[in-house]
């Protein structure tokens, strides 16, 4: 494992990113990426590098929002937030778990950043965070789920 080029690339990239990271959530995501780099079914080496760069570029609030969206999708399917009722439910969850995201005006920016990287997709051009939540879906090709799996704690 220690001589596997995927592992070495992940280690070196994660070390560079970790030097710029001050928060525990992002360091944990980088650690998990290194551990997951050589697991069976891990993404190709080039995609691993892209995912490590995403952890470096995105803020913890981006990662938390993506996880919340993924939880909803896992429970109710890819179009979970297409209904107003489910969007209200996500808004309530955000108020409970991450009120700063709603109060700071970061929601729209986080959605835009995640969508620009293909981790979620919108079926609307609306950039307002609250309105945008009605249109969020995890990317159809599973890119968002693949990213989350790569940066999540490995299963034992």
């Amino acid at each position: 494992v220690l001589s596997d080029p995927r592992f070495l690339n992940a280690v070196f990239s994660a070390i560079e990113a970790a030097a710029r990271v001050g928060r525990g959530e992002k360091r944990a995501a980088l650690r998990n990426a290194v551990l997951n780099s050589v697991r069976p079914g891990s993404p190709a080496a080039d995609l691993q590098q892209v995912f490590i760069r995403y952890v470096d570029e995105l803020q913890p609030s981006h990662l938390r929002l993506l996880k919340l969206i993924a939880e909803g999708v896992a429970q109710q399917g890819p179009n979970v937030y297409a209904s107003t009722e489910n969007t209200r439910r996500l808004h309530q969850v955000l108020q409970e778990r991450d009120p700063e995201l709603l109060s700071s005006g970061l929601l729209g920016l986080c959605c835009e950043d995640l969508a620009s990287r293909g981790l979620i997709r919108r079926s609307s051009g609306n950039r307002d965070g609250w309105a945008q939540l009605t249109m969020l879906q995890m990317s159809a090709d599973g890119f968002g789920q693949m990213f989350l799996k790569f940066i999540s704690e490995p299963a034992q």
Side-chain angles (χ1 to χ4, degrees):
V1 168
L2 295 178
S3 62
D4 188 317
R6 294 175 305 162
F7 178 76
L8 294 174
N9 285 338
V11 167
F12 293 131
S13 295
I15 288 171
E16 286 178 14
R20 293 182 291 275
V21 171
R23 294 188 176 168
E25 292 172 79
K26 288 178 66 166
R27 284 193 181 218
L30 291 168
R31 175 191 161 276
N32 294 337
V34 169
L35 294 173
N36 287 323
S37 67
V38 290
R39 295 185 67 84
S42 67
D46 288 348
L47 188 53
Q48 289 182 15
Q49 295 301 304
V50 169
F51 286 166
I52 290 170
R53 180 173 50 86
Y54 285 1
V55 173
D56 188 21
E57 294 170 351
L58 296 171
Q59 297 303 312
S61 53
H62 290 93
L63 304 179
R64 290 191 305 268
L65 177 60
L66 186 61
K67 287 177 187 177
L68 286 173
I69 294 167
E71 287 173 13
V73 169
Q75 292 172 2
Q76 299 186 29
N79 296 316
V80 62
Y81 299 116
S83 78
T84 304
E85 178 184 331
N86 286 342
T87 301
R88 284 190 190 117
R89 194 172 303 137
L90 176 61
H91 186 264
Q92 184 177 16
V93 170
L94 281 170
Q95 279 186 315
E96 292 169 4
R97 291 197 200 172
D98 207 339
E100 180 185 345
L101 191 60
L102 290 174
S103 65
S104 65
L106 285 175
L107 182 58
L109 291 172
C110 285
C111 291
E112 187 64 30
D113 289 343
L114 293 172
S116 72
R117 288 166 175 81
L119 299 171
I120 61 172
R121 69 175 183 193
R122 294 182 318 271
S123 56
S124 168
N126 189 334
R127 292 182 181 211
D128 174 62
W130 171 245
Q132 202 170 19
L133 283 176
T134 63
M135 303 298 179
L136 291 179
Q137 299 175 347
M138 293 300 282
S139 59
D141 60 2
F143 196 63
Q145 290 98 331
M146 190 184 311
F147 172 70
L148 284 176
K149 183 177 179 184
F150 184 65
I151 66 167
S152 295
E153 193 164 334
Q156 298 300 327

